[in-house]
Amino acid sequence: MARPGAACPPPARRVMVAARALLFWALVYSYCGLCACIAGLRLLWSIGRRPGETFRWVVRENPPACLNDPSLGTHCYVRIKDSGLRFHYVAAGERGKPLMLLLHGFPEFWYSWRHQLREFKSEYRVVALDLRGYGETDAPSHKENYKLDCLITDIKDILESLGYNKCVLIGHDWGGMIAWLVAICYPEMVTKLIVINFPHPSVFTEYILRHPSQLIKSGYYFFFQMPWFPEFMFTVNDFKVLKSLFTSQATGIGRKGCRLTAEDIEAYLYVFSQPGALTGPINHYRNIFSCLPLQHHEVIMPTLLLWGERDVFMEVEMAEITRIYVKNHFRLTILSEASHWLQQDQPDIVNKLIWTFLKEETTRKRE
């Protein structure tokens, strides 16, 4: 809404804005169609080669033992009053210690933080959340329930429901997007921000429009705009896509990384093989083009950005550009031999870097 007395934009400018919006949405839906065609061709190829295997989908009935490992913490639930949703999380460390809140990416869930739950519980109350729509957290059926403002409010409400008014906030991938936005919208709630393999959202939206290579790498954002078909493609060949994301030479954890065990893979398959388990996670992406770009940009708390250079989904150039949006101490560390799944790929190094950042800032505050 224009301010009283403010001049209206000239007609030429209004036409330009409308034309840019039209071109933007034309790009979105055109690329969505292209990605759908490519996925369809892959499906037909799979049917032609192994028709019996293509439509095999095994629902895992029982969770693997690793999901109930007591060394990871305690399974807990909290119901948010305003939304009425019940969230699942795993908590380690004593109540009353400073809160460290962990936000996972896609297609992940709380278990992707297993190494950090064990590491930081000595000094923090570490909470690894299942985001809205994931795992044992409630999954609203309508995609409108997954708009970014809902996801941001979830974190604020969960923080308050846990009895805290501030935390160290850590996010990876899509959880990194949410962490950036929480830090921007509720800076008083975040003492330190740590993001893994996701740039500042404004960097991402500006960079992707100027670099076709990143646009191609983010093709799944466009593919996910389609109803039901993306979920179906994940189930093909008993979740072959899900397995290959973590284990293939192209997208998985590299040779020098901490590879997922067979039991780790089963943990992911157990969660995402349940009927309807993929719709909530993919709905997170189905609202993104209506929510960006941002109106507010600045991050005012100390920030650590960790980046696996072998990330095939995010170009490393975005990491350095992120610096301009952080109006406080900013530390960037790029790990040359690490993949997109950084906190699982190089847990010892990641944990050491996080400790150094937390201690460094604590020391600096006291001086």
Side-chain angles (χ1 to χ4, degrees):
M1 183 179 293
R3 298 188 306 276
C8 293
R13 177 172 179 147
R14 289 201 301 269
V15 170
M16 185 177 296
V17 170
R20 288 183 65 183
L22 181 63
L23 287 171
F24 174 75
W25 286 108
L27 171 66
V28 169
Y29 287 111
S30 297
Y31 199 29
C32 173
L34 175 62
C35 293
C37 290
I38 293 171
L41 290 172
R42 287 175 176 169
L43 176 62
L44 291 173
W45 175 257
S46 178
I47 293 173
R49 292 182 63 202
R50 294 185 297 273
E53 290 292 312
T54 298
F55 299 104
R56 189 167 70 93
W57 169 7
V58 178
V59 177
R60 276 68 180 176
E61 300 289 344
N62 300 306
C66 61
L67 293 183
N68 293 307
D69 183 347
S71 72
L72 297 179
T74 305
H75 290 261
C76 307
Y77 301 86
V78 60
R79 188 171 296 278
I80 305 303
K81 289 182 180 179
D82 289 343
S83 67
L85 298 180
R86 189 185 77 155
F87 284 78
H88 168 252
Y89 63 93
V90 172
E94 297 175 11
R95 296 178 185 271
K97 288 182 176 179
L99 179 64
M100 177 182 284
L101 187 59
L102 309 173
L103 310 180
H104 63 79
F106 174 89
E108 298 175 290
F109 63 113
W110 71 266
Y111 187 69
S112 68
W113 298 109
R114 58 196 176 280
H115 302 292
Q116 289 68 44
L117 282 162
R118 291 190 182 102
E119 177 70 21
F120 295 100
K121 65 183 180 182
S122 60
E123 293 190 23
Y124 289 89
R125 174 71 169 172
V126 188
V127 170
L129 191 66
D130 274 344
L131 296 175
R132 178 184 291 223
Y134 281 84
E136 294 185 57
T137 291
D138 287 347
S141 57
H142 299 293
K143 72 174 186 178
E144 289 75 18
N145 295 123
Y146 295 86
K147 289 184 176 180
L148 285 173
D149 56 352
C150 296
L151 307 179
I152 298 165
T153 303
D154 282 345
I155 306 308
K156 178 184 77 72
D157 291 344
I158 287 165
L159 199 70
E160 293 171 349
S161 298
L162 293 175
Y164 287 85
N165 56 23
K166 59 185 178 180
C167 69
V168 172
L169 186 60
I170 306 181
H172 168 249
D173 182 67
W174 185 259
M177 162 81 87
I178 298 172
W180 281 116
L181 296 175
V182 171
I184 292 167
C185 297
Y186 299 105
E188 71 282 359
M189 289 188 147
V190 182
T191 58
K192 300 174 181 70
L193 175 66
I194 301 169
V195 179
I196 302 173
N197 279 77
F198 201 95
H200 186 287
S202 292
V203 173
F204 180 66
T205 53
E206 293 163 6
Y207 189 91
I208 196 173
L209 293 175
R210 291 183 172 89
H211 296 81
S213 56
Q214 181 58 55
L215 190 69
I216 292 170
K217 291 178 180 180
S218 300
Y220 60 98
Y221 278 65
F222 299 87
F223 178 53
F224 287 170
Q225 304 310 305
M226 298 186 65
W228 71 264
F229 191 48
E231 289 94 321
F232 170 73
M233 287 301 296
F234 266 92
T235 68
V236 167
N237 289 313
D238 193 29
F239 298 89
K240 181 180 179 180
V241 170
L242 183 65
K243 299 171 192 172
S244 66
L245 279 173
F246 295 105
T247 61
S248 72
Q249 186 173 356
T251 64
I253 293 172
R255 290 183 298 104
K256 297 185 179 181
C258 184
R259 292 179 181 272
L260 271 62
T261 66
E263 191 176 38
D264 293 335
I265 296 296
E266 277 303 307
Y268 280 92
L269 293 174
Y270 168 75
V271 168
F272 290 107
S273 69
Q274 306 306 314
L278 282 159
T279 299
I282 293 176
N283 274 342
H284 281 244
Y285 292 86
R286 287 178 171 140
N287 293 284
I288 188 169
F289 296 112
S290 62
C291 299
L292 297 174
L294 304 177
Q295 297 299 314
H296 305 286
H297 306 276
E298 290 188 354
V299 174
I300 62 172
M301 68 286 302
T303 301
L304 171 66
L305 179 58
L306 301 176
W307 203 280
E309 192 172 25
R310 294 182 179 272
D311 188 337
V312 298
F313 305 107
M314 293 283 172
E315 294 190 353
V316 70
E317 287 77 11
M318 291 188 287
E320 184 60 42
I321 303 171
T322 290
R323 185 183 303 274
I324 66 176
Y325 289 102
V326 180
K327 307 306 178 182
N328 203 314
H329 174 66
F330 177 77
R331 180 181 291 274
L332 167 64
T333 301
I334 299 171
L335 301 181
S336 60
E337 295 296 329
S339 69
H340 177 75
W341 320 104
L342 185 56
Q343 79 274 23
Q344 300 184 77
D345 184 331
Q346 305 282 350
D348 293 340
I349 297 174
V350 167
N351 291 346
K352 182 181 291 187
L353 290 168
I354 292 174
W355 273 127
T356 300
F357 175 72
L358 295 175
K359 299 294 186 182
E360 175 188 61
E361 290 305 310
T362 301
T363 302
R364 182 173 296 185
K365 263 189 163 181
R366 288 172 181 168
E367 289 176 351

